[in-house]
């Protein structure tokens, strides 16, 4: 029996170890998949993979990987235009960690919540959150490193030009236990930039220069040990060259920076220190242009947040309306109860008055009875002796006095009781009246709030109508009458405003045109669409070919594209004399062209044009787009339509018949060009 138990124990141990190994292998597989998807834009797939990783880590007992996967959901959502969702995920993560009593999870929840605030430019809340995370980790997990939170604090203070605070938090990060080399390199980079910027603004203060040289020497050691540079390396080297007055080298390094806005800002600082104010002004002008472009992308995100807040406000208003209806019903019930009580009080008053009359009648009857007795006594006294008469009269007087006192006492007690009851009922009536006044006041306040909400809703609807009119005004509605070109197009947004676009113009006997679709719907897509249309016109009017136009558009909108918005687009140029078509397809659906008739066929057939698809505009800043051409698109096939407008309208009618009464779920845009 003992041997059997030992064998069973060994079998269970082997099975448990095998299960743990299987779970650990699944965690490693999903972890690799998570980091591969982190640099992409597939939000749903990333959330699905990280949810699976959380379950696998929980089965394997790996708490750190469990909360790391959860935290990466917050970071990915913050960087991919899902910042409200990021705040919700961070809140759920923190509540779970608090419920489980997991200190590592609580710290990560505090850190990613602060990071979400930082991405939403809410720096005050971000600073509070990172400080709270650092204090919590130092108190409950003193052997863990809080360097990531301290570096984020240093970065925020650097961006706010609080250089001493930035250096303070970066130095504190270096003193953290178990510090990895990347965090150490980031900390020294922020210290170098803070010291160098301080020296640039205060050239007479030599302490900042000394601090920079010291920080830079330590940074070089860390960079050598780490084996590569961090994201701040080029900026640090430029600042070093400025301090050393080596402006040519600083300009050379600045020219290698891929982000235009950062490059122009650093060139402006270099030229300013070089006292070349003309070039500094040009760099400042370019910087402002790119900054305005970046601001438009940021405004798109803010508008998205605003729409989300408006939806939340709408739900709250609906709840308030329901609450007001309930309060109205309660007030009606209270009014009915008060009216019932008032009627009961009136009936009680009438009963009291009737009792008073009955008491008065009883008093009169008593008086009459007393007079009758007195008369009888007088009659009897005539037949009796004077002594008897006197005795009878005395007895009668005693009886009368006693009766009168009893009646008076009864009347006084009755009146006192009536007055007490009347006072009590009056007090009750006053209390009910006060309650009714308070209810009326609450009802008036609720009505005023409802009126304000209705006014705000009407104003929001008016602003959306104006936005639709502005957007539709940007789309061409007048189509040119030309001997060689027949063109017509329509755009029907699914919402008040949308993200589809088309545009065209004729210049130097050439037709430039484009059609595209911006990611997303509503106001953010419409703003991005307006930027794309304006950039297309600005670049195309310079006479550049379609592939160059696509490349320039991509370079402009992809830099600092924090929201990850993009646009698929087909750009074309037709020589109206020769019929030659130059085009570039940036991730859009290929166009349909009427092909030549085949043998035995009575008319031409529409076919999709085979072409290089390229990537959508706005995702990667360094792409070079490829263009293609068709030698002649003039009259290459016969078709049964009188013109471009008839073709577009028939297609639109076919779509309406197909969808029936179903609501429109996507923007509908068509553009037809016929060359002769």
């Amino acid at each position: 029996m003992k041997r059997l138990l030992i064998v069973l124990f060994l079998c269970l141990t082997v099975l448990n170890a095998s299960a743990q190994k299987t779970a650990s292998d699944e965690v490693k597989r999903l972890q690799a998949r998570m980091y591969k998807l982190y640099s992409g834009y597939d939000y749903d797939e990333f959330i699905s993979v990280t949810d699976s990783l959380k379950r696998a880590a929980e089965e394997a007992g790996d708490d750190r990987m469990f909360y790391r996967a959860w935290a990466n959901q917050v970071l990915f959502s913050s960087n991919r235009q899902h910042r409200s969702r990021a705040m919700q995920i961070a809140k759920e993560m923190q509540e779970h960690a608090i419920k489980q009593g997991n200190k590592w999870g609580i710290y990560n929840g505090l850190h990613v919540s602060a990071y979400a605030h930082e991405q939403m430019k809410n720096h005050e809340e971000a600073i509070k959150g990172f400080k709270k995370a650092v204090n919590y980790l130092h108190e409950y997990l003193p052997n863990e490193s809080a360097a990531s939170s301290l570096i984020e604090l240093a970065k925020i203070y650097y961006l706010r030009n609080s250089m001493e605070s930035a250096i303070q938090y970066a130095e504190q990060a270096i003193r953290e236990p178990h510090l990895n080399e990347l965090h150490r390199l980031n900390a020294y980079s922020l210290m170098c930039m803070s010291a160098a910027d301080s020296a640039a603004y205060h050239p007479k203060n030599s302490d900042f220069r000394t601090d920079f040289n010291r920080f830079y020497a330590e940074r070089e050691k860390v960079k050598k040990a780490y084996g590569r540079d961090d994201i701040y390396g080029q900026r640090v080297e430029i600042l070093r060259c400025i301090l050393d007055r080596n402006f040519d080298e600083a300009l050379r390094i600045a020219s290698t920076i891929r982000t235009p806005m950062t490059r122009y800002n650093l060139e402006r600082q270099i030229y300013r220190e070089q006292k070349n104010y003309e070039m500094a002004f040009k760099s400042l002008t370019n910087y402002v242009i790119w900054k305005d472009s970046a601001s438009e992308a940021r405004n798109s995100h803010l508008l998205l947040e605003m729409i989300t807040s408006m939806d939340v406000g709408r739900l709250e208003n609906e709840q308030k309306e329901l609450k007001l209806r309930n309060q109205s019903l309660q007030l009606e019930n209270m009014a009915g109860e008060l009216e019932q009580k008032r009627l009961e009080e009136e009936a009680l008053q009438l009963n009291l008055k009737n009792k008073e009359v009955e008491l008065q009648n009883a008093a009169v009857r008593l008086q009459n009875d007393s007079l009758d007795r007195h008369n009888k006594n007088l009659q009897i006294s005539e037949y009796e002796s004077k002594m008897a008469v006197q005795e009878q009269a005395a007895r009668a007087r005693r009886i009368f006095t006693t009766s009168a006192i009893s009646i008076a006492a009864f009347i006084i007690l009755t009146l006192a009781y009536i007055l007490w009851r009347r006072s009590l009922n009056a007090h009750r009536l006053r209390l009910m009246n006060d309650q009714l006044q308070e209810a009326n006041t609450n009802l008036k306040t609720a009505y005023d709030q409802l009126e304000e909400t209705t006014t705000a809703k009407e104003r929001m609807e008016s602003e959306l109508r104006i936005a639709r009119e502005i957007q539709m005004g940007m789309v061409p509605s007048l189509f040119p009458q030309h001997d060689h070109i027949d063109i017509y197009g329509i755009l029907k947004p699914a919402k008040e405003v949308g993200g589809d676009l088309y545009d065209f113009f004729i210049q130097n006997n050439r037709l430039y045109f484009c059609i595209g679709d911006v990611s997303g719907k509503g106001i953010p897509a419409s703003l991005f669409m307006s930027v794309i249309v304006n950039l297309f016109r600005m670049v195309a009017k310079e006479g550049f070919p379609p592939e160059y136009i696509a490349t320039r558009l991509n370079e402009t909108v992809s830099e600092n594209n924090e929201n990850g918005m993009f646009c698929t687009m087909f750009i074309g140029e037709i020589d109206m004399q020769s019929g030659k078509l130059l085009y570039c397809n940036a991730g859009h659906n290929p166009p349909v062209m009427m092909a030549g008739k085949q043998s035995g066929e009575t008319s031409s057939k529409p076919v999709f044009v085979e072409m290089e698809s390229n990537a959508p505009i706005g995702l990667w800043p360094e792409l070079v787009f490829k263009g293609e051409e068709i030698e002649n698109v003039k009259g290459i096939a016969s078709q049964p339509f009188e013109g471009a407008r008839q073709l577009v309208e028939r297609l639109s009618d076919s779509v309406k018949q197909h969808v029936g009464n179903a609501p429109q779920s996507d923007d509908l845009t068509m553009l037809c060009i016929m060359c002769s």
Side-chain angles (χ1 to χ4, degrees):
M1 185 66 181
K2 184 175 180 180
R3 291 180 179 177
L4 179 60
L5 291 175
I6 293 173
V7 171
L8 289 174
F9 176 76
L10 292 175
C11 290
L12 289 174
T13 303
V14 171
L15 289 174
N16 186 36
S18 177
Q20 289 182 351
K21 184 177 185 302
T22 302
S24 178
D25 292 341
E26 180 68 7
V27 167
K28 292 180 180 178
R29 185 186 70 80
L30 291 171
Q31 180 184 0
R33 181 65 176 160
M34 174 184 69
Y35 287 122
K36 183 177 181 180
L37 291 172
Y38 190 83
S39 59
Y41 291 88
D42 194 333
Y43 182 79
D44 293 334
E45 184 176 2
F46 183 84
I47 296 299
S48 175
V49 169
T50 46
D51 283 340
S52 300
L53 177 56
K54 285 165 56 181
R55 289 191 294 269
E58 192 172 22
E59 293 176 1
D62 190 346
D63 288 345
R64 286 182 175 269
M65 182 52 65
F66 174 80
Y67 286 108
R68 185 177 294 117
W70 210 338
N72 281 339
Q73 289 183 343
V74 179
L75 301 179
F76 190 86
S77 300
S78 296
N79 296 327
R80 299 301 186 278
Q81 200 180 352
H82 296 278
R83 291 168 184 169
S84 298
R85 178 57 180 154
M87 295 297 297
Q88 181 63 29
I89 297 174
K91 180 180 178 183
E92 294 172 357
M93 172 184 173
Q94 202 162 5
E95 290 175 351
H96 180 276
I98 293 173
K99 184 177 180 180
Q100 298 297 323
N102 190 296
K103 296 180 175 58
W104 175 251
I106 294 173
Y107 164 71
N108 277 275
L110 293 171
H111 177 82
V112 295
S113 296
Y115 183 83
H117 281 295
E118 180 184 359
Q119 291 299 305
M120 296 174 71
K121 307 303 180 185
N122 190 357
H123 287 163
E124 294 298 331
E125 290 299 324
I127 289 173
K128 292 179 183 177
F130 285 128
K131 288 182 178 179
K132 187 175 181 181
V134 171
N135 293 335
Y136 182 87
L137 196 69
H138 286 171
E139 181 176 358
Y140 295 103
L141 297 170
N143 293 326
E144 298 288 346
S145 173
S148 57
S149 298
L150 291 168
I151 289 172
E152 292 297 330
L153 282 170
K155 182 168 64 176
I156 293 174
Y157 279 111
Y158 171 75
L159 294 175
R160 299 176 71 176
N161 291 326
S162 298
M163 304 306 178
E164 293 183 359
S165 298
I167 293 175
Q168 175 187 347
Y169 283 108
E171 289 179 334
Q172 188 176 347
I174 294 174
R175 295 193 294 269
E176 287 295 301
H178 308 296
L179 184 67
N180 62 50
E181 294 301 322
L182 178 59
H183 283 162
R184 191 186 306 276
L185 185 60
N186 291 155
Y188 275 116
S189 295
L190 287 167
M191 291 162 67
C192 288
M193 291 190 296
S194 300
D197 280 351
S198 298
Y201 289 119
H202 307 284
K204 295 181 180 180
N205 191 339
S206 61
D207 292 339
F208 286 109
R209 295 178 182 272
T210 303
D211 290 342
F212 174 84
N213 292 331
R214 177 166 54 88
F215 297 150
Y216 182 82
E218 293 297 327
R219 184 183 182 279
E220 287 298 301
K221 296 178 183 178
V222 177
K223 184 174 72 172
K224 183 177 180 180
Y226 185 54
R228 58 180 180 273
D229 210 342
D230 63 359
I231 60 175
Y232 306 111
Q234 291 175 309
R235 185 178 182 89
V236 171
E237 292 299 326
I238 290 173
L239 293 173
R240 180 185 63 82
C241 291
I242 291 175
L243 293 179
D244 293 342
R245 317 301 291 177
N246 189 355
F247 298 115
D248 292 337
E249 178 65 15
L251 289 171
R252 186 195 65 77
I253 298 174
S255 65
T256 64
I257 296 178
R258 297 176 179 177
T259 307
M261 189 167 68
T262 303
R263 182 173 68 250
Y264 289 134
N265 189 34
L266 288 172
E267 287 178 350
R268 176 185 62 84
Q269 187 174 350
I270 296 169
Y271 287 127
R272 177 179 173 274
E273 292 297 320
Q274 196 179 11
K275 302 189 183 304
N276 188 346
Y277 297 111
E278 180 180 358
M279 294 301 298
F281 176 77
K282 290 182 180 179
S283 298
L284 176 61
T285 302
N286 293 329
Y287 170 74
V288 171
I289 292 173
W290 282 93
K291 184 177 180 182
D292 291 342
S293 177
S295 298
E296 290 180 0
R298 188 178 300 110
N299 290 336
S300 299
H301 164 70
L302 294 176
L303 282 173
L304 179 62
E305 295 294 333
M306 180 190 74
I307 292 172
T308 304
S309 300
M310 290 165 63
D311 291 340
V312 174
R314 176 179 58 78
L315 295 175
E316 292 177 351
N317 289 335
E318 292 177 356
Q319 293 177 354
K320 289 180 180 178
E321 290 177 0
L322 180 60
K323 184 176 180 181
L324 286 174
R325 287 197 292 270
N326 293 334
Q327 290 179 350
S328 178
L329 292 174
Q330 293 176 357
L331 288 174
E332 290 177 359
N333 293 333
M334 291 176 63
E337 293 175 358
L338 290 173
E339 180 65 18
Q340 181 66 28
K341 291 181 179 180
R342 186 183 64 78
L343 294 175
E344 292 176 358
E345 291 295 332
E346 291 179 355
L348 179 61
Q349 293 293 335
L350 290 175
N351 290 332
L352 290 175
K353 290 180 180 179
N354 291 333
K355 288 182 179 179
E356 289 179 357
V357 173
E358 290 175 359
L359 289 174
Q360 292 175 358
N361 292 333
V364 172
R365 287 195 298 270
L366 287 174
Q367 291 178 355
N368 292 333
D369 291 342
S370 298
L371 292 173
D372 291 341
R373 291 191 187 95
H374 183 65
N375 291 331
K376 289 179 180 179
N377 289 333
L378 291 175
Q379 292 175 358
I380 293 172
S381 64
E382 293 178 356
Y383 299 102
E384 293 179 352
S385 62
K386 292 181 179 179
M387 292 296 295
V389 171
Q390 292 177 355
E391 183 180 356
Q392 186 66 30
R395 185 181 296 109
R397 284 193 297 271
R398 286 194 299 272
I399 293 172
F400 178 78
T401 303
T402 303
S403 299
I405 292 172
S406 299
I407 293 171
F410 177 76
I411 292 172
I412 291 171
L413 290 174
T414 302
L415 291 175
Y417 176 76
I418 292 171
L419 292 174
W420 175 75
R421 289 288 299 176
R422 182 178 295 175
S423 175
L424 181 61
N425 290 331
H427 179 68
R428 290 178 179 175
L429 286 173
R430 284 194 299 273
L431 291 177
M432 292 178 183
N433 183 63
D434 293 340
Q435 292 176 355
L436 183 59
Q437 291 294 332
E438 182 179 359
N440 287 334
T441 302
N442 293 335
L443 180 59
K444 183 178 182 301
T445 302
Y447 179 80
D448 292 339
Q449 293 175 351
L450 177 60
E451 186 176 9
E452 291 177 359
T453 302
T454 303
T455 302
K457 182 178 180 182
E458 292 175 351
R459 183 170 60 253
M460 179 183 68
E461 292 175 350
S462 175
E463 291 175 353
L464 286 175
R465 286 195 298 271
I466 294 172
R468 179 185 177 91
E469 293 174 359
I470 293 173
Q471 182 191 12
M472 295 307 294
M474 297 182 64
V475 177
S477 59
L478 298 177
F479 302 95
Q481 301 295 326
H482 199 277
D483 295 338
H484 301 292
I485 290 292
D486 182 13
I487 183 168
Y488 188 77
I490 61 170
L491 191 156
K492 297 179 180 179
K495 297 184 177 180
E496 287 80 0
V497 291
D500 278 13
L501 62 98
Y502 72 82
D503 194 12
F504 59 84
F505 64 89
I506 297 175
Q507 179 176 284
N508 297 330
N509 209 29
R510 293 177 181 271
L511 172 67
Y512 294 86
F513 66 93
C514 69
I515 186 168
D517 185 4
V518 176
S519 61
K521 301 288 186 298
I523 289 178
S526 70
L527 291 176
F528 199 78
M529 165 264 191
S530 65
V531 173
I532 292 293
V533 170
N534 288 329
L535 288 174
F536 166 76
R537 281 183 170 255
M538 181 178 66
V539 179
K541 285 191 174 182
E542 295 296 327
F544 293 116
E547 63 270 18
Y548 182 81
I549 296 173
T551 303
R552 284 290 303 275
L553 292 180
N554 183 67
E555 290 177 353
T556 301
V557 300
S558 61
E559 293 296 341
N560 300 309
N561 187 4
E562 298 179 357
N563 300 316
M565 298 191 71
F566 61 89
C567 175
T568 63
M569 204 169 180
F570 182 87
I571 304 172
E573 173 193 337
I574 298 177
D575 188 329
M576 293 188 294
Q577 290 293 337
S578 64
K580 185 174 184 179
L581 168 64
L582 303 178
Y583 63 87
C584 177
N585 184 22
H588 202 67
N589 296 329
V592 176
M593 180 177 290
M594 299 296 290
K597 292 188 295 184
Q598 304 295 328
S599 59
E601 295 180 348
T602 60
S603 62
S604 304
K605 294 193 302 182
V607 295
F608 287 100
V609 179
E610 296 183 359
M611 59 181 62
E612 179 75 25
S613 63
N614 290 300
I617 291 173
L619 293 180
W620 299 281
E622 298 179 358
L623 290 179
V624 177
F625 287 74
K626 296 181 180 179
E628 299 177 77
E629 65 181 46
I630 296 177
E631 188 63 30
N632 191 356
V633 295
K634 296 176 63 174
I636 63 173
S638 62
Q639 42 81 24
F641 301 103
E642 296 178 357
R645 179 166 185 167
Q646 185 187 55
L647 189 152
V648 172
E649 290 178 346
R650 287 191 181 180
L651 284 176
S652 178
D653 293 340
S654 298
V655 173
K656 289 181 181 178
Q657 293 177 2
H658 176 72
V659 300
N661 296 325
Q664 184 176 345
S665 61
D666 196 4
D667 301 338
L668 177 62
T669 305
M670 288 183 282
L671 181 66
C672 177
I673 302 174
M674 293 184 177
C675 301
S676 60

